[in-house]
Structures are given as C-alpha cells and as structure tokens.
Amino acid sequence: MHAPPSETGTSAAVTGAAMTTCFGDTDRTVDALLAGESGVAPLRGMDTEAMGVVYGYPIADGDESQSRASGWLTGVIRDATAGLELDGRRVAVVVGSGLRELRSLERWHRDGAAFGVRQLHFDEAVRAALPGVAEVLTVSNACSASGYALAVGMDLLSADEADVVVAAGTDSRTESMLTMIGKIGDELTAAVEPFDVDRTGVLLGEGAAAVVIEREARTPLGWIRSVGLTCDAHHETAPDQAGVVGAMRDAHERAGVTPADIGLVVAHGTGTALNDPTEAGALTETFGTSRPQITAIKGATGHTSGGASLMNTIVALTAMRTGTIPAVTGLRTPIEQAAGLNLVVGDAAPTTATLAQVDAFGFGGVNAVTVVEVA
C-alpha cells in the first residue's frame, strides 16, 4: 500500500471519480473543456419570460421526470465505485447539494406530481447505486456543498468511522433559483464569462459528481491533501476576501504546503460582478509572487452549484494526470484585479503541476478550498 503524502497524516487516496454535466459523462466533459466548447443553450420547459432568464447549461437528455438530481447522483456514484472492492467494508456517502430536489418540489406544487419529503435527503438515490452503504449524510452548503461533503468525508476517515467514503454533489436547475437570478441582474446574461471585463452574471448548469476516498490505496488516481473551510457570514450573498483567503490558507496549512508548491488553481469563477474581483484579489493576496496556472470551467458548464467543487476537483486531477489544462471558456479580456494572475486564456495549455488548489465559495460565506495531488 502507498502511504498518504501529507506530513499531517490527513490525506486520503482518490480511488474513483465520475461526473455528468451538460456535455455528458466525465470523458466527454473533459474533451469539451479542452476543445473550448460551451454548453450554453436556451432553457426549455420553463417560463423564461417570467423568470427573466433565457439561457442556461441544461442536461438535454429529454428526461423531465421527477428527481433528476437524484438520478444523476445515482449514476455518478455507480460509475465512481465501479470495479472497487467494497464488500465487507464500512462505506459512507456524503452528498452536498445547494438546492436538493427543489425542482421536484416545484413540480409537485405546480402540477401535483408525486413527491415524497424523503427524496430531499438522497438516501434512496444513493442506495440505488450502493444498496449496502452504511450511512448517507446530506449537507446543503450552497455553491460549496460538495467541497463541504468532501471535508466531512475526510473527517469520517480520520476518525475511523468509515473505511471508504463517497463524497458527491448534485443539483438541477429550478425556477425559484432562476427567478432570483433574473430579478437581480441588470441585463440578460447569454453566457458565463469568468474574470472577463464584459461579464454580465451567472447562469445555472446541471449535473453531479462523485469522488471515492480511502485512507490508502495501491493505485490511487491522486490524493486529497486537505480541505480548508471558513464560514465568515460576511453577507447573505456577497463574498468577503478575508474569508476566502482564510479558507485558502487553512487548506495550505492542513496539507503542509506553501503557496509556492501549488502549480494549478481551478477557480470558482462565477462570472459575477462581486465574486470574480474578490476571488482574484484573494488569489493575489495568497500567492503573492507565485504564479500558478489558473483555469475555471463555469463558462463551459454553467454554475453547477452542489456539484461544482467536486467537478473542479476531477478537472484538476485530470489536468495534472494528462499534462493539459483547459482554458477559461468565455474569457477574452481579464478584469483589472486579475491582471497579475496566470490565467489560461484562449487554448488549452501544457502543465507540469502535481499539486492543485480547487476553490468553491457559497452564499453566506461558506468557503471550501481543496488541495489535491496527482498520484
């Protein structure tokens, strides 16, 4: 067995990973990111005029059944655990979601579609993939939810409460959230443009992601070195640079690394008026003269809320394993606050990075920063 690389002894081996996005499965998503594709499309089946939002990054699978977020969750957990030996082992699953099955609840209210309160918890969706799982936990930490799920999973392993943990995240678009976005925007957003001077706001994506972690493994995909957390409660929606920097530094300290050790950052990058300059400022403050390569994927996939952090984690691992980083889709001219950052713009770029930072920030100042190392 290979021992975890962290001096703190808190690392976990990544033994499986899977995601589904507007592009499709993990391989199709990675290919689309590297090609600079965008999954933005007109929204169907919703009153876009009333919501004030016309576009999104939907999964166009033709399935408008109830519990879509649960269905994607079942699929990625099944894919991430395929081929793993789990019999006789204590397996826990932690699911992060910003909105849970709110879309199903909306359809119950509007159309009387069948819906059970237990579906909000995802227990049934998890057990459809892993019938013998010992425990299912659900956390709802806004847009950093799956980062928090990963942190809880790390704690479960560290406390010897589980032998294997599946950390996952899932969300689907909802009329409630889209209407909120439509009401606060100054103009119609046609695409997410992270860190761009002409960005107009965020659009929702859909999908799910899952990562399997264990204390040790013979052939891991990589290592979760740490998850740093802060809950600064600065504002209901506006991010706080001090809280973001605190999460980054907490992650570095827990991992036993310095900013100079980080070669890649997969940024949160929502394309909003406040998040982008705040995150850019936090990266500048944290990294100083270090210049890690920086990318972000929401211009391609939209904001996938609960699944965003783990999707970024999978992208980081894949980029380091293949030696190629996707560019920031939608970015042409960086904002002033990002002028000193080493953003990957235009085309995919080669990398020799072996250690990456993954950013995820949620409403209310719930921030999760992951440090991940390639095997």
Side-chain angles (χ1 to χ4, degrees):
M1 295 286 186
H2 292 293
S6 172
E7 295 178 359
T8 64
T10 58
S11 292
V14 178
T15 56
M19 63 178 164
T20 185
T21 71
C22 55
F23 296 114
D25 63 10
T26 306
D27 290 342
R28 179 66 187 96
T29 298
V30 169
D31 288 345
L33 292 173
L34 292 174
E37 296 179 21
S38 171
V40 71
L43 295 175
R44 308 294 184 192
M46 291 181 166
D47 189 343
T48 55
E49 183 176 350
M51 294 188 304
V53 179
V54 176
Y55 300 101
Y57 294 76
I59 293 181
D61 53 10
D63 180 11
E64 291 298 330
S65 62
Q66 290 290 81
S67 306
R68 298 180 77 213
S70 296
W72 299 325
L73 178 65
T74 300
V76 295
I77 291 176
R78 184 177 289 127
D79 291 345
T81 57
L84 298 180
E85 182 54 60
L86 302 178
D87 291 344
R89 308 180 72 189
R90 298 171 300 165
V91 181
V93 179
V94 189
V95 182
S97 180
L99 304 171
R100 300 197 283 177
E101 277 293 352
L102 178 58
R103 180 58 179 154
S104 295
L105 191 64
E106 290 174 345
R107 294 190 61 205
W108 166 79
H109 175 74
R110 185 190 68 188
D111 304 325
F115 180 74
V117 175
R118 286 181 58 84
Q119 292 173 262
L120 291 172
H121 176 55
F122 296 118
D123 184 83
E124 293 178 3
V126 170
R127 294 184 187 280
L130 297 174
V133 66
E135 186 173 28
V136 180
L137 304 174
T138 302
V139 297
S140 186
N141 293 75
C143 304
S144 60
S146 58
Y148 270 78
L150 184 58
V152 172
M154 296 281 283
D155 286 346
L156 290 173
L157 290 180
S158 180
D160 195 27
E161 294 291 332
D163 301 315
V164 181
V165 175
V166 181
T170 188
D171 265 313
S172 63
R173 68 188 189 276
T174 74
E175 288 180 290
S176 305
M177 189 67 180
L178 287 167
T179 300
M180 186 201 75
I181 292 172
K183 297 304 181 185
I184 63 175
D186 293 329
E187 57 184 299
L188 183 69
T189 296
V192 179
E193 300 168 311
F195 301 110
D196 194 85
V197 293
D198 294 324
R199 69 197 186 283
T200 56
V202 73
L203 295 173
L204 293 186
E206 295 187 304
V211 169
V212 184
I213 55 174
E214 306 178 43
R215 279 184 290 274
E216 55 185 19
R218 289 189 176 87
T219 56
L221 301 174
W223 298 92
I224 303 298
R225 293 286 296 268
S226 69
V227 183
L229 304 175
T230 56
C231 183
D232 57 61
H234 167 73
H235 187 271
E236 292 93 334
T237 58
D240 176 55
Q241 183 167 318
V244 171
V245 169
M248 292 179 183
R249 289 177 174 166
D250 183 40
H252 296 173
E253 181 178 349
R254 289 176 182 273
V257 303
T258 69
D261 297 322
I262 305 291
L264 168 65
V265 175
V266 183
H268 192 54
T270 60
T272 55
L274 295 180
N275 177 88
D276 287 8
T278 300
E279 185 173 16
L283 289 168
T284 300
E285 180 179 346
T286 299
F287 285 93
T289 57
S290 300
R291 284 177 54 80
Q293 293 168 288
I294 300 173
T295 191
I297 72 170
K298 290 181 179 64
T301 65
H303 196 336
T304 50
S305 190
S309 180
L310 285 178
M311 288 180 186
N312 282 355
T313 300
I314 295 171
V315 168
L317 271 173
T318 303
M320 291 188 292
R321 287 172 62 85
T322 61
T324 308
I325 303 172
V328 185
T329 300
L331 174 58
R332 293 170 298 277
T333 306
I335 57 175
E336 179 183 354
Q337 295 87 343
L341 299 178
N342 187 14
L343 291 159
V344 181
V345 182
D347 297 317
T351 186
T352 58
T354 59
L355 203 63
Q357 172 180 304
V358 174
D359 293 347
F361 315 124
F363 284 169
V366 285
N367 307 308
V369 175
T370 302
V371 174
V372 59
E373 184 171 8
V374 70

